Amino acid sequence: MRTFDFDLFVIGGGSGGVRAARMAAQTGARVGLAEAADLGGTCVNVGCIPKKLYSYAAGYAESFEEAAGFGWKLHKEPHFDWAHLKSQRAREITRLNGIYASLLKNSGVVLVTGWAQLVDAHTVEVDGKRHTAEHLLVATGGTPYVPDIPGREHIVTSDAMFDLDPFPRRLLVVGGGYIACEFASIFNGLGSQVTQLHRRAHLLTGFDDDVRQFVAGEMGKAGVDIRLNSEAASVARNPHGKHALTVTLARGQQVEADTVLFATGRVPNTQGLGLEAAGVKLDDKGAIAVDAHYRTSVPSIYAVGDVSTRVQLTPVALAEAMVVVDALFGKGKRRMDYEFIPTAVFTHPNIGTCGYSEIDARAKFGEITVFSSEFKSLRHTLSGSTERTFMKLVVDKKSDRVVGLHMVGADAGEVVQGFAVAMRAGATKALFDSTIGIHPTAAEEFVTMREPMPG
Ligand code: NDP
């Protein structure tokens, strides 16, 4: 029998890769992991974690404004120090990189620093050194996609947003998805004058239509200049301003900005991995094609997370990694279910959602009942803010099961996480109705909505 250096060798030290390596090593498997950059991948270094920290930073702007309504007098104008926020963030991310390294070390994973390339079905080469393994796992994530427009060299992607220098007084964001909406809200809160261009009539394709319209309204009220049905045709450096860029829209208008962010989607990181040499096939979207068990076209090679683009979310990559490890080194019982994955968009206010939009629910279940509520939260009765909260339930008429739950409002992600458990357990509207609310909260509205929307 052929002997290998490792039982599992993982390429990529992001969320999915690190989770798979650690969990496999904890079963006693001999595991190696290669990463060329900082451990933690997109989520830790230039994604979820720094984004949420900056979202908190942006939230203070509202809090300072609202404090007066609760009796607080600020004797000095609050002053925002961008350099301080950046260094605080960098310190925290470095701490997390270290935690990832010690988690791997403590579970016995051999960390190989460098760029890994597949050589064949069982061999990986990193900086000229070959490592063999019975199983290989590719978890190299994704990278921002930028359309090929004139002046592309002047724009930045989300990777650069956390360390911009100087702070952009005027920010133009192109895109209407998660990343575009989050950065538009964050930099608006931090004090930039933000313009957001989106090529469609509504932001956030795929979300419930009421949520899409409501959040655009709230972001607009907060100060983001959202221009729908708008596309950027070209970007040019303005010769009269040191940092100024001029963006020409498809219809000819021009917008000036200090920084232009393209948040126009992410593509799988498949370049330079030797996939072709090893015989690993890509799907029609350019992602690694995998079967229901995350096995690629080469039976000893697996892929999880954004490189196989099912759902581009960190917790999904983690769950997929656990399925692979269980199949290879455990009982093989773990399954991944892509229905009712809760998600949040950290706009101001946040979006939290689980299950089907009204349109998708109607297409899947036929007859549905919709309940919705829009209100000013208790906090804003004194804060002076005009922010409102929106909540919506979509119920399958036949089974009475709640199949869609959507919220735009403070801490929507925190609220929806708990409801997602109930939804996965098949909770009916009757069960929601029999649940006692926690008073006074916004969340209680989900268990007190009684009047369906006229259908
Ligand atoms: P999304 O797919 O969410 O959004 C991409 C946006 O760019 C869409 O509005 C899309 O428009 C637009 N777009 C695409 N191509 C072009 C183009 N050529 N010209 C103009 N606009 C274009 O991607 P993101 O980059 O925002 O995020 C990637 C993924 O990362 C998300 O899908 C999400 O799964 C994950 N993520 C999750 C977060 C969270 O959980 N909070 C936070 C950030 C990211 P259209 O709608 O017309 O396709």
Side-chain angles (χ1 to χ4, degrees):
M1 211 177 93
R2 186 174 169 191
T3 56
F4 298 103
D5 304 333
F6 295 101
D7 299 311
L8 174 70
F9 195 92
V10 180
I11 304 181
S15 306
V18 168
R19 174 63 63 91
R22 276 176 54 213
M23 292 298 140
Q26 281 170 17
T27 69
R30 296 166 307 144
V31 183
L33 180 144
E35 171 59 64
D38 292 329
L39 286 171
T42 300
C43 174
V44 167
N45 294 291
V46 285
C48 325
I49 302 295
K51 175 273 308 286
K52 187 84 188 276
L53 292 174
Y54 282 18
S55 175
Y56 285 131
Y60 280 99
E62 285 164 18
S63 302
F64 289 134
E65 270 179 28
E66 294 167 10
F70 292 91
W72 289 97
K73 301 238 175 323
L74 300 175
H75 292 297
K76 272 206 245 157
E77 272 292 295
H79 166 76
F80 172 59
D81 184 342
W82 173 233
H84 186 68
L85 175 63
K86 286 195 291 185
S87 77
Q88 287 279 90
R89 178 216 87 238
R91 197 168 51 94
E92 174 56 12
I93 301 308
T94 304
R95 188 183 74 85
L96 293 176
N97 296 144
I99 287 179
Y100 269 66
S102 37
L103 284 173
L104 289 174
K105 188 164 170 244
N106 296 342
S107 49
V109 175
V110 176
L111 177 60
V112 181
T113 304
W115 186 264
Q117 275 192 309
L118 296 168
V119 177
D120 61 35
H122 294 282
T123 313
V124 165
E125 187 173 305
V126 187
D127 291 337
K129 185 163 190 278
R130 292 193 171 191
H131 308 268
T132 61
E134 185 171 6
H135 310 287
L136 301 173
L137 174 68
V138 183
T140 46
T143 193
Y145 156 78
V146 178
D148 200 8
I149 61 162
R152 193 177 184 272
E153 65 278 12
H154 301 305
I155 68 100
V156 296
T157 67
S158 55
D159 290 352
M161 290 303 286
F162 300 104
D163 262 321
L164 289 176
D165 185 25
F167 180 81
R169 238 172 5 90
R170 299 162 304 172
L171 172 69
L172 180 90
V173 178
V174 178
Y178 277 83
I179 296 180
C181 292
E182 290 184 338
F183 276 117
S185 278
I186 289 169
F187 278 83
N188 177 58
L190 295 179
S192 298
Q193 185 188 317
V194 179
T195 307
Q196 183 178 3
L197 303 184
H198 180 41
R199 62 184 178 181
R200 293 194 195 238
H202 298 291
L203 300 175
L204 292 162
T205 305
F207 281 73
D208 185 88
D209 282 347
D210 288 334
V211 167
R212 298 169 73 189
Q213 291 185 35
F214 191 84
V215 81
E218 291 300 316
M219 285 170 64
K221 267 172 21 190
V224 180
D225 174 8
I226 300 173
R227 305 204 190 166
L228 299 166
N229 299 310
S230 295
E231 285 195 62
S234 65
V235 182
R237 192 160 287 289
N238 180 339
H240 307 297
K242 190 164 158 245
H243 296 291
L245 298 167
T246 303
V247 180
T248 304
L249 311 194
R251 292 204 217 105
Q253 310 102 305
Q254 294 193 318
V255 180
E256 292 275 310
D258 303 308
T259 299
V260 176
L261 164 68
F262 266 65
T264 41
R266 295 177 61 82
V267 290
N269 257 334
T270 54
Q271 298 296 313
L273 295 176
L275 295 174
E276 213 167 290
V280 175
K281 295 215 164 61
L282 303 184
D283 65 17
D284 52 3
K285 292 190 199 116
I288 295 183
V290 290
D291 66 12
H293 308 286
Y294 308 102
R295 201 181 274 242
T296 69
S297 50
V298 179
S300 57
I301 305 181
Y302 292 76
V304 294
D306 287 4
V307 77
S308 62
T309 48
R310 291 197 175 198
V311 180
Q312 296 175 312
L313 295 172
T314 293
V316 171
L318 298 178
E320 292 176 350
M322 304 288 280
V323 173
V324 170
V325 170
D326 183 53
L328 295 178
F329 307 108
K331 297 198 169 87
K333 293 224 166 100
R334 226 175 228 277
R335 294 283 174 273
M336 175 68 201
D337 181 357
Y338 292 87
E339 208 180 23
F340 299 111
I341 293 173
T343 177
V345 188
F346 295 98
T347 40
H348 291 251
N350 293 178
I351 299 171
T353 178
C354 183
Y356 295 81
S357 67
E358 182 176 341
I359 286 180
D360 290 347
R362 191 161 279 123
K364 180 164 171 90
F365 300 98
E367 279 199 274
I368 55 167
T369 317
V370 174
F371 299 82
S372 79
S373 174
E374 192 207 307
F375 54 94
K376 181 186 251 195
S377 73
L378 179 60
R379 176 187 172 120
H380 295 314
T381 56
L382 296 194
S383 73
S385 164
T386 59
E387 182 181 297
R388 294 181 70 79
T389 299
F390 174 77
M391 295 164 96
K392 177 170 178 175
L393 290 177
V394 183
V395 179
D396 169 27
K397 225 173 193 169
K398 213 177 318 132
S399 64
D400 194 41
R401 185 174 178 186
V402 177
V403 294
L405 183 143
H406 311 278
M407 173 172 177
V408 184
D411 296 321
E414 306 287 348
V415 172
V416 169
Q417 179 69 81
F419 282 107
V421 178
M423 290 172 73
R424 284 190 51 77
T428 58
K429 179 66 167 64
L431 194 72
F432 270 58
D433 292 347
S434 69
T435 301
I436 304 296
I438 300 175
H439 190 67
T441 61
E444 68 180 315
E445 198 72 15
F446 275 132
V447 296
T448 54
M449 287 192 236
R450 296 288 185 270
E451 279 300 310
M453 302 297 289

